Amino acid sequence: MRQPLFIIFFILFSSLKINAQVSGKFYSIKRVSDGDTVVIQDESDNQYKIRFIGIDAPESRNVGNRKQVQVFGSEAKTHLKKLLFNKKIRLEFDVQKIDRYGRTLAYVYLENGVFLNQYLLAKGYARIATFPPNIKYVEDFRKSEEKARRNKLGMWMYY
């Protein structure tokens, strides 16, 4: 009798944990900051900066002495803007939810189910950038980037 109760408890706990990690809400895009960062707005007009987990797009603007404009940065930002025009996104979280700059870290999905983090890698608009503990999709990301490199897609046409 104890084992069936344990199994039921485990299933309930697992589903609660999964639901806490995935937002079922869709958010409007306020603006695209870069090829891997957007600002969303919730129903209360609160704004949040969302940094896509597992990827790094080339810089599209200078940020002090820290970051300089990079080759293909403008193209990556423009492509993301086009993808997100009049669209909403859903967020999925990993272990760490906020980075040291106060940005929310997330895997990002369009309403039609397109997984944007992986899509940007697959099309050559970003490179893999893994920062443990957020490594849920690292193998999928690695394969997507390798394929884009092999096919000289996006920024990989320059390398």
Side-chain angles (χ1 to χ4, degrees), residues 37-52:
T37 308
V38 298
V39 176
I40 62 169
Q41 188 168 321
D42 68 13
E43 62 278 351
S44 301
D45 289 336
N46 297 315
Q47 294 182 19
Y48 303 92
K49 192 174 252 189
I50 308 299
R51 174 65 166 79
F52 292 31

Side-chain angles (χ1 to χ4, degrees), residues 140-155:
D140 295 330
F141 288 177
R142 193 178 328 267
K143 289 175 187 172
S144 293
E145 181 183 296
E146 285 173 8
K147 187 175 179 183
R149 281 177 177 248
R150 219 178 17 255
N151 294 312
K152 297 202 178 289
L153 298 176
M155 71 178 150

Side-chain angles (χ1 to χ4, degrees), residues 3 8 19 23 29 31 41 46 50 64 66 70 74 76 96 104 107 116 120-121 125 133 140 144 153 155 159:
Q3 193 164 2
I8 291 169
N19 289 337
S23 166
I29 306 298
R31 74 177 179 278
Q41 188 168 321
N46 297 315
I50 308 299
R66 210 167 37 101
Q70 296 174 316
S74 172
Q96 181 186 9
T104 300
Y107 300 109
L116 276 177
L120 294 171
L121 288 166
Y125 287 98
D140 295 330
S144 293
L153 298 176
M155 71 178 150
Y159 298 97

Side-chain angles (χ1 to χ4, degrees), residues 18 24 29 77 86 88 95 98-99 103 109 113 127 141:
I18 289 168
I29 306 298
K77 181 178 179 178
N86 282 337
K88 291 186 176 187
V95 177
I98 305 290
D99 70 6
R103 300 174 297 189
Y109 296 85
R127 64 178 80 52
F141 288 177

Side-chain angles (χ1 to χ4, degrees), residues 13-108:
F13 178 77
S14 296
S15 68
L16 288 175
K17 185 176 180 183
I18 289 168
N19 289 337
Q21 296 294 317
V22 178
S23 166
K25 295 180 183 179
F26 284 92
Y27 298 93
S28 297
I29 306 298
K30 183 74 174 169
R31 74 177 179 278
V32 173
S33 301
D34 218 337
D36 55 22
T37 308
V38 298
V39 176
I40 62 169
Q41 188 168 321
D42 68 13
E43 62 278 351
S44 301
D45 289 336
N46 297 315
Q47 294 182 19
Y48 303 92
K49 192 174 252 189
I50 308 299
R51 174 65 166 79
F52 292 31
I53 296 174
I55 70 170
D56 183 39
E59 297 303 321
S60 63
R61 60 191 174 94
N62 293 331
V63 181
N65 295 339
R66 210 167 37 101
K67 295 181 179 178
Q68 301 297 312
V69 173
Q70 296 174 316
V71 172
F72 212 70
S74 172
E75 293 86 345
K77 181 178 179 178
T78 299
H79 185 72
L80 186 57
K81 273 184 167 180
K82 287 179 184 175
L83 278 173
L84 294 176
F85 183 73
N86 282 337
K87 301 235 175 35
K88 291 186 176 187
I89 59 171
R90 178 178 63 83
L91 307 176
E92 177 184 344
F93 306 103
D94 208 334
V95 177
Q96 181 186 9
K97 291 187 178 76
I98 305 290
D99 70 6
R100 65 183 180 185
Y101 304 109
R103 300 174 297 189
T104 300
L105 301 171
Y107 300 109
V108 181

Side-chain angles (χ1 to χ4, degrees), residues 130-142:
T130 304
F131 299 98
N134 294 337
I135 58 170
K136 188 186 253 184
Y137 298 108
V138 69
E139 286 307 311
D140 295 330
F141 288 177
R142 193 178 328 267

